[in-house]
Amino acid sequence: GVLAQVAKLGYKNVEFYVPFYYTWTPAFARDVRKTMDDLGLHCTSTHNQMDAYQPEGMGKAVELNQILGSRYLINARRPAYPNIDGWKGLADTLNKANEKIRAAGLFAGYHTTANEWKMVEGQRPVEVLFKGTDKSFVHQLDVGTCVAQGADPVAWIKQNPGRIRSLHLKDWSPEKEYGVLFGEGKAPWKEIFAAAESKGGAEFYIIEQENSTEPPLEAVKKDLALYMAFRKKH
């Protein structure tokens, strides 16, 4: 039912998340895929926890993503390591998993939260992660958390050409934090889109609305309209 409403609003792509989608059976995933096909929707990627990058759980994640038509297994849930060695270990784990996921014709990637932009032992974990992984391991840049931590999303995209395959278009403001709609916060969207499409290698965008005071579907309806108007203007 939600997929039907999302399609009616004008969205073309969706991203499923854990632990929700990872509990599905292959048969149920095929039903979801048929529903998406009937609605003209495409699953671009999935959010995953660490199970999907371990030998015992990777097979299920790959199978479900292949059924859904997704090409990107994005890591979105893991510990906030208190030291750099922990982040280096995570990079190593994800890098090894990426080799096997790539062999299945998919890509592994990483969705940044606030934790990766905060300094740990004099370094930013996001830099440790992407220095410690192969260039085929992609970054799904959450713009809102990047801006909220005082980091420069445009500079980061330019530093990692070809690796910013998707972005979460979440905005942020000092007053309302993540409660703003697209374009109503502090993110420099014009420069972000220019960098993402000329340097980053962006293939698709995901509108993420967090902490809205409006009902979720009403919020994402407005977000899409704001996004389309912005892209038409710029």
Side-chain angles (χ1 to χ4, degrees):
V2 174
L3 288 173
Q5 292 179 76
V6 167
K8 187 176 180 180
L9 292 178
Y11 284 93
K12 301 298 182 186
N13 302 312
V14 294
E15 181 177 66
F16 294 115
Y17 70 98
V18 289
F20 179 59
Y21 101 92
Y22 194 70
T23 65
W24 295 348
T25 63
F28 187 79
R30 282 190 283 271
D31 287 343
V32 173
R33 174 64 184 273
K34 183 179 185 305
T35 298
M36 288 193 298
D37 288 346
D38 291 344
L39 293 169
L41 289 173
H42 175 238
C43 175
T44 55
S45 49
T46 58
H47 271 198
N48 298 270
Q49 51 198 16
M50 290 306 297
D51 312 41
Y53 308 94
Q54 305 294 342
E56 59 273 16
M58 190 183 303
K60 180 177 182 179
V62 167
E63 181 182 15
L64 291 176
N65 277 265
Q66 288 176 331
I67 291 170
L68 294 169
S70 163
R71 296 177 59 227
Y72 293 97
L73 277 74
I74 305 295
N75 178 247
R77 289 195 178 185
R78 61 268 144 184
Y81 298 99
N83 53 58
I84 286 299
D85 283 344
W87 291 104
K88 288 181 178 178
L90 176 62
D92 185 60
T93 297
L94 294 174
N95 202 41
K96 290 176 180 176
N98 182 48
E99 293 179 9
K100 296 179 180 179
I101 291 169
R102 288 288 295 117
L106 306 174
F107 292 90
Y110 196 93
H111 177 95
T112 39
T113 65
N115 294 323
E116 290 77 37
W117 299 103
K118 296 176 181 178
M119 298 297 286
V120 176
E121 297 179 344
Q123 298 182 65
R124 290 194 305 181
V126 67
E127 295 175 341
V128 173
L129 285 165
F130 285 93
K131 285 180 181 176
T133 48
D134 185 77
K135 289 186 177 181
S136 63
F137 183 80
V138 302
H139 183 189
Q140 184 177 78
L141 175 61
D142 185 318
V143 174
T145 56
C146 177
V147 172
Q149 293 305 311
D152 183 344
V154 177
W156 176 254
I157 293 168
K158 291 178 178 178
Q159 290 169 21
N160 294 274
R163 298 185 76 173
I164 319 296
R165 302 286 184 86
S166 63
L167 295 86
H168 269 219
L169 307 186
K170 182 169 71 181
D171 218 328
W172 179 88
S173 77
E175 299 78 21
K176 296 184 178 181
E177 298 187 337
Y178 301 121
V180 293
L181 296 174
F182 173 83
E184 295 181 350
K186 295 294 184 180
W189 291 113
K190 182 179 179 180
E191 292 78 11
I192 287 170
F193 289 128
E197 292 165 17
S198 65
K199 299 288 185 182
E203 296 179 5
F204 56 91
Y205 300 114
I206 301 291
I207 287 179
E208 177 184 354
Q209 180 60 54
E210 190 173 325
N211 297 340
S212 174
T213 57
E214 303 183 59
L217 285 169
E218 183 62 26
V220 296
K221 177 182 180 180
K222 291 182 177 180
D223 279 322
L224 183 59
L226 288 166
Y227 167 78
M228 297 299 288
F230 183 93
R231 296 312 303 267
K232 184 177 181 179
K233 182 178 179 181
H234 298 284

